Amino acid sequence: MVNGILVIAHAPLASALRQCVLHVFPEAQRVVDALDVPPDQPPEVTLAQARALLAAHGGDDMLVLTDLIGATPCNVAAQLGDGVHTHVVTGVNLPMLLRAFTYRHEPIATLAARATAGGTQGVMPLTPAAPCPPPGQAAVPPSPR
């Protein structure tokens, strides 16, 4: 079983994130979809487009990732989630999306939890001129001066 992943975000963020995933994982082409929401598009149009993208996955469980809680893309995504076959996570970023793709074979609830963890673990302060830490390792916080 492979879960599908749909990114719904303000244009052009969804497509840009998808392109980043395809850069790392070219095989993501059939798993990760993107729906860019233009500023002047009515929410009902976005919802119809999102439902069509979900239907194109033929009933697979879906993880829907969206950008900003309370904004139109998130409000549309919230209407898609049923908590059983479709889970929605907000605050999408590239670490979240890469983690979701990596663990796409896991049960949908586990996948949503892994995506959330990947998104939060991918946000950390870096000290000036310090190298980036390896994946999964926390950055060393700057020392007080």
Side-chain angles (χ1 to χ4, degrees):
M1 171 178 91
V2 175
N3 297 302
I5 301 167
L6 172 60
V7 181
I8 303 175
H10 291 89
L13 182 59
S15 292
L17 286 170
R18 182 175 187 270
Q19 288 304 312
C20 289
V21 172
L22 293 176
H23 175 81
V24 179
F25 297 111
E27 68 274 20
Q29 186 79 27
R30 295 185 193 161
V31 177
V32 179
D33 284 318
L35 178 57
D36 288 313
V37 180
D40 56 348
Q41 181 166 287
E44 50 277 357
V45 172
T46 303
L47 181 59
Q49 292 173 333
R51 286 186 172 144
L53 287 170
L54 290 183
H57 280 270
D60 292 341
D61 286 352
M62 294 291 293
L63 179 63
V64 180
L65 305 175
T66 187
D67 55 359
L68 181 64
I69 195 161
T72 299
C74 183
N75 293 338
V76 166
Q79 294 179 60
L80 302 172
D82 63 10
V84 177
H85 298 288
T86 306
H87 285 244
V88 179
V89 177
T90 188
V92 67
N93 58 32
L94 187 55
M96 177 187 289
L97 188 51
L98 291 172
R99 178 80 56 98
F101 182 76
T102 301
Y103 292 99
R104 66 195 177 279
H105 298 288
E106 293 194 1
I108 192 69
T110 303
L111 179 60
R114 284 200 185 266
T116 301
T120 56
Q121 291 167 0
V123 177
M124 62 183 72
L126 295 178
T127 59
C132 290
Q137 184 178 8
V140 177
S143 58
R145 294 186 179 189

